[in-house]
Amino acid sequence: MEVNNRYITITNHIQGSAKESDFELKVVPLRLSVEPGSSAVILKNLWVSIDPYQLNRMKRYSSSHKTVQPAVRITPGQPIDSPGVARVLVSDDPEFVKDDLVEGFVHWGEYTVVKGGMLRKLDPEIDLPLSYHAGVLGMSGLTAYAGLFEICKAKKGDKVFVSAACGSVGNLVGQYAKLSGCYVVGCAGSRDKVALLKEKLGFDDAFNYKEETDLNSALARYFPDGIDIYFDNVGGEMLEAAVANMNTCGRVAACGAIAEYSEGAKRAAPNMVDVIYKRIKIQGFLAIDHMSLHSDFLSTTTDYIHNGKIKVQEDISSGVESIPSAFIGLFRGDNIGKKIVKIADE
């Protein structure tokens, strides 16, 4: 049997901000069969994660390209892989059989052929929407969990600042921190998002960074006793202001730098005298480095969701064609929570 596989790719390497014209929908035939001994698996994609780090992969050059496999440069015309959820259609891998539900790296398209890729069967005992495995129970959730607890060693009483706090990772960091007895302040880019953080997600306070003329003074106002933990999703001037307000032995989880992804953007230049004399730890990290935490993360987060202690925030678009606009919208701050695209019915 043969099907038409529709997928999104880039037309050229992107410099600056991404535009709709940088993407195209391609259609190629795909035979739904695998060679014996190939260990190949053909997946029907159901949900795909939309993440800002992909912009670095779309550039002609980024220092991230040669670091880890998920960061390699994308070739124009080729499929773009991303965390997602899929159903097995055909398998020559003994670990997977037809109709298994899996999470792993799938294409921004309708089908994915995986050979030796990192796939994980979904636990059938987890009675939650499949989309959660592309977000709160997937890489976004693990990133929040590992960054807060493994990198920053959050403990009761810590004063925590989260940037991009309405994003896929930031909203979870704040909720985990509150559940651990921390004082939490987040920043976001609209009054509606600020209200959501305080009224629904339980942040102690929040502010609209677009309304602040001096970020350093703003953080001093919200943290009169200083910041113990800064979960950084943006880089740039926000990182500089956070470092200026950190307490001695403060910890910074460098998770994202969306303010710096576009060409020509201002790069962060934190005061290194503060970093040295306050003994501030600034550590970059990736979720894939912390898969040993996956079991604890999954059980803890699942329990929190079932008990209503974590409020899941999803921003869902539908159809392969919607992927470019969904991606571009991340850089305008259009999303609230995890941006996901539904590719097919479950």
Side-chain angles (χ1 to χ4, degrees), residues 320-343:
V320 172
E321 300 89 344
S322 72
I323 291 176
S325 61
F327 178 70
I328 293 167
L330 294 176
F331 299 90
R332 296 192 300 257
D334 291 353
N335 62 300
I336 295 179
K338 178 63 190 177
K339 188 64 194 181
I340 312 171
V341 172
K342 180 180 180 179
I343 303 298

Side-chain angles (χ1 to χ4, degrees), residues 12-19 22 58-61 262-263:
N12 49 263
H13 286 120
I14 297 174
Q15 301 301 317
S17 301
K19 309 178 297 298
D22 291 320
M58 297 171 186
K59 297 177 182 178
R60 187 175 302 279
Y61 172 78
S262 297
E263 296 299 321

Side-chain angles (χ1 to χ4, degrees), residues 211-288:
E211 296 179 347
E212 300 291 343
T213 57
D214 184 338
L215 293 175
N216 196 333
S217 297
L219 290 181
R221 188 167 72 249
Y222 285 97
F223 291 96
D225 297 319
I227 299 169
D228 297 310
I229 292 173
Y230 172 42
F231 201 102
D232 184 21
N233 291 303
V234 300
E237 295 178 350
M238 193 68 75
L239 174 57
E240 296 174 7
V243 166
N245 285 275
M246 296 291 287
N247 288 327
T248 299
C249 295
R251 293 89 77 197
V252 178
C255 174
I258 193 170
E260 302 186 21
Y261 290 162
S262 297
E263 296 299 321
K266 185 181 184 298
R267 302 296 186 246
N271 186 329
M272 292 307 296
V273 172
D274 281 344
V275 173
I276 294 166
Y277 283 92
K278 293 183 184 178
R279 284 88 82 196
I280 297 169
K281 181 179 82 167
I282 303 176
Q283 184 173 341
F285 73 103
L286 300 172
I288 58 174

Side-chain angles (χ1 to χ4, degrees), residues 53-272:
Y53 80 88
Q54 297 279 12
L55 183 60
N56 289 321
R57 300 184 63 207
M58 297 171 186
K59 297 177 182 178
R60 187 175 302 279
Y61 172 78
S62 170
S63 58
S64 60
H65 288 163
K66 295 183 179 180
T67 55
V68 292
Q69 181 61 32
V72 298
R73 184 175 65 180
I74 296 167
T75 301
Q78 296 302 304
I80 298 167
D81 57 337
S82 176
V85 177
R87 185 182 299 278
V88 174
L89 293 181
V90 184
S91 175
D92 188 59
D93 186 326
E95 295 294 319
F96 305 99
V97 298
K98 188 178 186 302
D99 288 331
D100 277 347
L101 291 169
V102 298
E103 62 177 334
F105 281 85
V106 301
H107 292 161
W108 278 6
E110 294 177 319
Y111 300 90
T112 306
V113 180
V114 178
K115 294 182 180 180
M118 187 176 69
L119 293 177
R120 182 191 301 270
K121 285 185 185 179
L122 298 187
D123 184 347
E125 298 299 315
I126 298 178
D127 185 22
L128 290 169
L130 286 184
S131 60
Y132 285 14
H133 294 276
V136 61
L137 299 180
M139 284 297 179
S140 294
L142 181 59
T143 298
Y145 191 88
L148 185 65
F149 297 116
E150 187 73 7
I151 302 301
C152 291
K153 307 295 184 186
K155 62 184 183 300
K156 185 177 181 179
D158 277 337
K159 294 173 284 293
V160 179
F161 174 47
V162 186
S163 57
C166 268
S168 62
V169 174
N171 87 87
L172 294 172
V173 172
Q175 292 186 77
Y176 284 136
K178 282 301 301 174
L179 289 166
S180 299
C182 300
Y183 173 79
V184 182
V185 176
C187 72
S190 74
R191 293 181 181 182
D192 287 344
K193 289 182 177 181
V194 167
L196 175 73
L197 293 173
K198 294 194 292 184
E199 296 169 12
K200 184 175 181 180
L201 302 188
F203 282 56
D204 293 287
D205 217 331
F207 64 93
N208 181 354
Y209 70 89
K210 294 178 181 178
E211 296 179 347
E212 300 291 343
T213 57
D214 184 338
L215 293 175
N216 196 333
S217 297
L219 290 181
R221 188 167 72 249
Y222 285 97
F223 291 96
D225 297 319
I227 299 169
D228 297 310
I229 292 173
Y230 172 42
F231 201 102
D232 184 21
N233 291 303
V234 300
E237 295 178 350
M238 193 68 75
L239 174 57
E240 296 174 7
V243 166
N245 285 275
M246 296 291 287
N247 288 327
T248 299
C249 295
R251 293 89 77 197
V252 178
C255 174
I258 193 170
E260 302 186 21
Y261 290 162
S262 297
E263 296 299 321
K266 185 181 184 298
R267 302 296 186 246
N271 186 329
M272 292 307 296

Side-chain angles (χ1 to χ4, degrees), residues 145 176 179-180 299-310:
Y145 191 88
Y176 284 136
L179 289 166
S180 299
S299 61
T300 298
T301 305
T302 300
D303 286 345
Y304 280 156
I305 295 170
H306 279 303
N307 293 325
K309 294 182 177 180
I310 279 185

